[in-house]
Amino acid sequence: MDIRRIDHIELYVGDARQAAFYFGTAVGFTLRGQGGPETGLAGQRSLLLGQADIRMLLTTGLTAEHPASQYVSRHGDGIAVVAVEVGDAAGAYAELVERGATPVTPPRTWTGADAEVVTAEVGGFGDVLHRLVERRGDADDFLPGGIEAAPPGGADPRLLAEIDHLAVCVPPGQLDATVAHYERVFGFAQIFEEHIEVAGQAMNSKVVQDASGRVTLVLLEPDAGRRPGQIDAFLTEHHGAGVQHLGLRTDDIVGAVGALGARGVRFAGTPAAYYDTLEQRVGKVDAPLDQLRDLSILVDADHGGQLLQIFTESMHVRRTLFLELIERRGARTFGSGNIRALYEAKERELAVAGATPAVAAGTA
């Protein structure tokens, strides 16, 4: 299959307008389109947001039977569709189904004055679907006859560049099967794996990626033989497999974190002691350490270079979905070295106070 990139993601949410207010006001997305029953999207209200090359569709079901309503009832707000652009949606759909994908929505053509879009859907992981999107003509016409373009609004701040990866939690014992499914059905390749253990908690991680290198899933599975941790908590609150966080790449993480923080985004804190040994772990960092410390930005390194990353607090009542901002300076991995470094930093701080850390900090 000719998978080219992530075309968009779709979140099923309880209130699309409320979610759009958060992503617009706090995260810097702009309204690019909207649709509902009056545009041919029966039983739903959808708002299309964008920033640079990131497109996010927020959908609320207007009836109890709508898939968005059922998803939110079971999982809460979350990423329900990961859409990929392909050269031939109908052909890709047929090929995927033949390989064993669960068919969900057969190919449909959406036609406008200057564009034609073909979509089809198959099952992915848990209740998350993959939408195949074939675009012809005007690439800015997101869904002709379904989503109407919004009037031009404020300037796009372009704090974020593109979707870097999606981190997916799966129940214990399902990691290998999920990897095999993406290899066999979707033609992805496993590019990384590791076992992470700290403070009695442990998880297994494997990363799969399509041939273009632009669609990446970081798959996480808790080690059932260890003490329950954050992956277990996600699976419990989310009621099954799903996207734990969305990794968004930025070209300037210091500027982006400062700007988003001023807009009201709340980021996970980092112990000050983490920075005491930072350059011993990762080498010289081309950024002022006091600035990284003030903003709680993490740094990790692999054979390709360094990466800078930070995680937001979850914006959802179930404390499930959250965002990661990541700036890659040659690194190809995902910052797992920060898990132990964060825990050890917290341990040093608590030792000074005569306490013992109760849980490990975690990233993925």
Side-chain angles (χ1 to χ4, degrees), residues 347-363:
E347 190 174 48
R348 289 193 297 272
E349 285 194 344
L350 293 176
V352 173
T356 302
V359 296
T363 66

PDB file of all heavy atoms in Angstrom, residues 347-363:
ATOM      1  N   GLU A 347      13.954  10.425  43.666  1.00  0.00           N
ATOM      2  CA  GLU A 347      14.487   9.688  44.807  1.00  0.00           C
ATOM      3  C   GLU A 347      15.515  10.536  45.568  1.00  0.00           C
ATOM      4  O   GLU A 347      15.523  10.570  46.795  1.00  0.00           O
ATOM      5  CB  GLU A 347      15.123   8.377  44.334  1.00  0.00           C
ATOM      6  CG  GLU A 347      15.503   7.422  45.438  1.00  0.00           C
ATOM      7  CD  GLU A 347      15.986   6.107  44.879  1.00  0.00           C
ATOM      8  OE1 GLU A 347      16.828   6.134  43.952  1.00  0.00           O
ATOM      9  OE2 GLU A 347      15.524   5.051  45.337  1.00  0.00           O
ATOM     10  N   ARG A 348      16.367  11.246  44.831  1.00  0.00           N
ATOM     11  CA  ARG A 348      17.361  12.092  45.486  1.00  0.00           C
ATOM     12  C   ARG A 348      16.693  13.220  46.258  1.00  0.00           C
ATOM     13  O   ARG A 348      17.078  13.549  47.376  1.00  0.00           O
ATOM     14  CB  ARG A 348      18.338  12.666  44.441  1.00  0.00           C
ATOM     15  CG  ARG A 348      19.296  11.643  43.851  1.00  0.00           C
ATOM     16  CD  ARG A 348      20.423  12.317  43.094  1.00  0.00           C
ATOM     17  NE  ARG A 348      19.958  13.089  41.943  1.00  0.00           N
ATOM     18  CZ  ARG A 348      19.778  12.583  40.727  1.00  0.00           C
ATOM     19  NH1 ARG A 348      19.992  11.290  40.504  1.00  0.00           N
ATOM     20  NH2 ARG A 348      19.382  13.356  39.726  1.00  0.00           N
ATOM     21  N   GLU A 349      15.669  13.816  45.654  1.00  0.00           N
ATOM     22  CA  GLU A 349      14.973  14.905  46.333  1.00  0.00           C
ATOM     23  C   GLU A 349      14.288  14.426  47.610  1.00  0.00           C
ATOM     24  O   GLU A 349      14.350  15.067  48.651  1.00  0.00           O
ATOM     25  CB  GLU A 349      13.946  15.542  45.398  1.00  0.00           C
ATOM     26  CG  GLU A 349      14.548  16.432  44.322  1.00  0.00           C
ATOM     27  CD  GLU A 349      13.522  17.304  43.650  1.00  0.00           C
ATOM     28  OE1 GLU A 349      12.312  17.011  43.791  1.00  0.00           O
ATOM     29  OE2 GLU A 349      13.906  18.281  42.983  1.00  0.00           O
ATOM     30  N   LEU A 350      13.624  13.274  47.512  1.00  0.00           N
ATOM     31  CA  LEU A 350      12.895  12.772  48.670  1.00  0.00           C
ATOM     32  C   LEU A 350      13.839  12.265  49.746  1.00  0.00           C
ATOM     33  O   LEU A 350      13.517  12.289  50.934  1.00  0.00           O
ATOM     34  CB  LEU A 350      11.930  11.669  48.239  1.00  0.00           C
ATOM     35  CG  LEU A 350      10.774  12.132  47.342  1.00  0.00           C
ATOM     36  CD1 LEU A 350       9.944  10.940  46.897  1.00  0.00           C
ATOM     37  CD2 LEU A 350       9.902  13.150  48.057  1.00  0.00           C
ATOM     38  N   ALA A 351      15.011  11.791  49.331  1.00  0.00           N
ATOM     39  CA  ALA A 351      15.984  11.335  50.321  1.00  0.00           C
ATOM     40  C   ALA A 351      16.431  12.490  51.209  1.00  0.00           C
ATOM     41  O   ALA A 351      16.647  12.328  52.416  1.00  0.00           O
ATOM     42  CB  ALA A 351      17.185  10.711  49.621  1.00  0.00           C
ATOM     43  N   VAL A 352      16.547  13.665  50.616  1.00  0.00           N
ATOM     44  CA  VAL A 352      16.916  14.843  51.390  1.00  0.00           C
ATOM     45  C   VAL A 352      15.852  15.150  52.432  1.00  0.00           C
ATOM     46  O   VAL A 352      16.134  15.574  53.551  1.00  0.00           O
ATOM     47  CB  VAL A 352      17.116  16.060  50.450  1.00  0.00           C
ATOM     48  CG1 VAL A 352      17.332  17.329  51.261  1.00  0.00           C
ATOM     49  CG2 VAL A 352      18.294  15.807  49.530  1.00  0.00           C
ATOM     50  N   ALA A 353      14.579  14.902  52.043  1.00  0.00           N
ATOM     51  CA  ALA A 353      13.476  15.167  52.960  1.00  0.00           C
ATOM     52  C   ALA A 353      13.176  13.977  53.855  1.00  0.00           C
ATOM     53  O   ALA A 353      12.234  14.014  54.647  1.00  0.00           O
ATOM     54  CB  ALA A 353      12.225  15.541  52.167  1.00  0.00           C
ATOM     55  N   GLY A 354      13.923  12.871  53.699  1.00  0.00           N
ATOM     56  CA  GLY A 354      13.710  11.698  54.524  1.00  0.00           C
ATOM     57  C   GLY A 354      12.513  10.871  54.133  1.00  0.00           C
ATOM     58  O   GLY A 354      11.940  10.151  54.950  1.00  0.00           O
ATOM     59  N   ALA A 355      12.100  10.950  52.862  1.00  0.00           N
ATOM     60  CA  ALA A 355      10.946  10.194  52.387  1.00  0.00           C
ATOM     61  C   ALA A 355      11.376   9.198  51.343  1.00  0.00           C
ATOM     62  O   ALA A 355      12.539   9.138  50.936  1.00  0.00           O
ATOM     63  CB  ALA A 355       9.896  11.156  51.797  1.00  0.00           C
ATOM     64  N   THR A 356      10.431   8.372  50.865  1.00  0.00           N
ATOM     65  CA  THR A 356      10.694   7.368  49.817  1.00  0.00           C
ATOM     66  C   THR A 356       9.692   7.562  48.708  1.00  0.00           C
ATOM     67  O   THR A 356       8.499   7.746  48.978  1.00  0.00           O
ATOM     68  CB  THR A 356      10.548   5.938  50.376  1.00  0.00           C
ATOM     69  OG1 THR A 356      11.453   5.779  51.464  1.00  0.00           O
ATOM     70  CG2 THR A 356      10.850   4.909  49.295  1.00  0.00           C
ATOM     71  N   PRO A 357      10.126   7.551  47.448  1.00  0.00           N
ATOM     72  CA  PRO A 357       9.168   7.747  46.331  1.00  0.00           C
ATOM     73  C   PRO A 357       8.155   6.622  46.285  1.00  0.00           C
ATOM     74  O   PRO A 357       8.485   5.454  46.404  1.00  0.00           O
ATOM     75  CB  PRO A 357      10.065   7.750  45.088  1.00  0.00           C
ATOM     76  CG  PRO A 357      11.311   7.022  45.498  1.00  0.00           C
ATOM     77  CD  PRO A 357      11.499   7.321  46.948  1.00  0.00           C
ATOM     78  N   ALA A 358       6.898   7.012  46.084  1.00  0.00           N
ATOM     79  CA  ALA A 358       5.836   6.021  46.083  1.00  0.00           C
ATOM     80  C   ALA A 358       5.641   5.390  44.720  1.00  0.00           C
ATOM     81  O   ALA A 358       5.358   4.211  44.596  1.00  0.00           O
ATOM     82  CB  ALA A 358       4.516   6.673  46.534  1.00  0.00           C
ATOM     83  N   VAL A 359       5.790   6.183  43.658  1.00  0.00           N
ATOM     84  CA  VAL A 359       5.597   5.669  42.296  1.00  0.00           C
ATOM     85  C   VAL A 359       6.667   6.229  41.396  1.00  0.00           C
ATOM     86  O   VAL A 359       7.261   7.272  41.691  1.00  0.00           O
ATOM     87  CB  VAL A 359       4.193   6.025  41.737  1.00  0.00           C
ATOM     88  CG1 VAL A 359       3.121   5.358  42.559  1.00  0.00           C
ATOM     89  CG2 VAL A 359       3.988   7.531  41.726  1.00  0.00           C
ATOM     90  N   ALA A 360       6.908   5.563  40.315  1.00  0.00           N
ATOM     91  CA  ALA A 360       7.897   6.039  39.347  1.00  0.00           C
ATOM     92  C   ALA A 360       7.265   7.044  38.416  1.00  0.00           C
ATOM     93  O   ALA A 360       6.113   6.931  38.046  1.00  0.00           O
ATOM     94  CB  ALA A 360       8.450   4.862  38.550  1.00  0.00           C
ATOM     95  N   ALA A 361       8.047   8.029  38.030  1.00  0.00           N
ATOM     96  CA  ALA A 361       7.614   8.909  36.956  1.00  0.00           C
ATOM     97  C   ALA A 361       7.740   8.127  35.664  1.00  0.00           C
ATOM     98  O   ALA A 361       8.548   7.218  35.546  1.00  0.00           O
ATOM     99  CB  ALA A 361       8.475  10.165  36.923  1.00  0.00           C
ATOM    100  N   GLY A 362       6.961   8.481  34.648  1.00  0.00           N
ATOM    101  CA  GLY A 362       7.036   7.703  33.408  1.00  0.00           C
ATOM    102  C   GLY A 362       6.845   8.544  32.188  1.00  0.00           C
ATOM    103  O   GLY A 362       6.142   9.535  32.200  1.00  0.00           O
ATOM    104  N   THR A 363       7.500   8.124  31.113  1.00  0.00           N
ATOM    105  CA  THR A 363       7.290   8.701  29.796  1.00  0.00           C
ATOM    106  C   THR A 363       7.226   7.546  28.822  1.00  0.00           C
ATOM    107  O   THR A 363       7.446   6.395  29.168  1.00  0.00           O
ATOM    108  CB  THR A 363       8.454   9.637  29.406  1.00  0.00           C
ATOM    109  OG1 THR A 363       9.640   8.869  29.265  1.00  0.00           O
ATOM    110  CG2 THR A 363       8.660  10.719  30.458  1.00  0.00           C
TER     111      THR A 363
END
